[in-house]
Amino acid sequence: MDDLARFCCLNCDCPDHGKRGAGNLTVTSCYGPDKARRMLRCRTCQRRFSERKGTPLFDSRLPPGKAEAVLEHIAEGCGVRQTGRLCKVNRNTVGRLSRRAGGHARDLHDEFVAFSPEHP
């Protein structure tokens, strides 16, 4: 049985939008190399989406390990060209992946700040 509790519907018009573990998601198919990525469907709104949708890895052609290596180098302060050379990927790929990850990090930070307690 697939653990879908960490996923939620991404359709803004769906009543179950953003509700993790609501039991409304099913796996409709698998795709990608070795059929390792799942296509999910919301039972409430009938929309389908990839399990990678909404992550920096969505629509990335890099293997997950290589994408993580790129982001680790960027997080350590390596430049775009140096990271591309070390990870053996194009510098444009490094820039695109780091922009996506940066946007996700900003959104996550804003979400955490919104729920942080007030200081007395």
Side-chain angles (χ1 to χ4, degrees):
M1 186 72 179
D2 294 323
D3 179 29
L4 301 176
R6 62 189 181 115
F7 297 104
C8 62
C9 182
L10 300 176
N11 179 11
C12 296
D13 297 328
C14 179
D16 289 331
H17 171 72
K19 296 179 184 174
R20 296 187 197 288
N24 60 322
L25 299 178
T26 60
V27 177
T28 60
S29 61
C30 295
Y31 70 100
D34 300 325
K35 304 285 186 196
R37 298 179 195 135
R38 298 177 292 186
M39 185 65 71
L40 307 177
R41 181 179 64 84
C42 176
R43 289 183 183 131
T44 307
C45 66
Q46 305 302 317
R47 282 281 184 90
R48 291 176 6 139
F49 54 91
S50 168
E51 69 179 338
R52 283 186 162 190
K53 181 77 173 175
T55 70
L57 296 179
F58 180 66
D59 203 25
S60 173
R61 299 331 191 249
L62 293 177
K66 189 167 273 203
E68 289 171 11
V70 167
L71 293 174
E72 285 173 2
H73 279 85
I74 292 295
E76 287 295 322
C78 293
V80 172
R81 289 184 177 140
Q82 183 182 15
T83 299
R85 195 170 47 253
L86 292 170
C87 296
K88 295 181 176 46
V89 296
N90 189 297
R91 64 188 168 111
N92 294 333
T93 302
V94 174
R96 182 174 51 252
L97 193 57
S98 63
R99 279 192 305 275
R100 282 186 184 173
H104 285 276
R106 182 190 60 239
D107 294 343
L108 184 63
H109 172 268
D110 292 346
E111 187 174 327
F112 281 149
V113 168
F115 292 111
S116 64
E118 296 281 329
H119 291 291

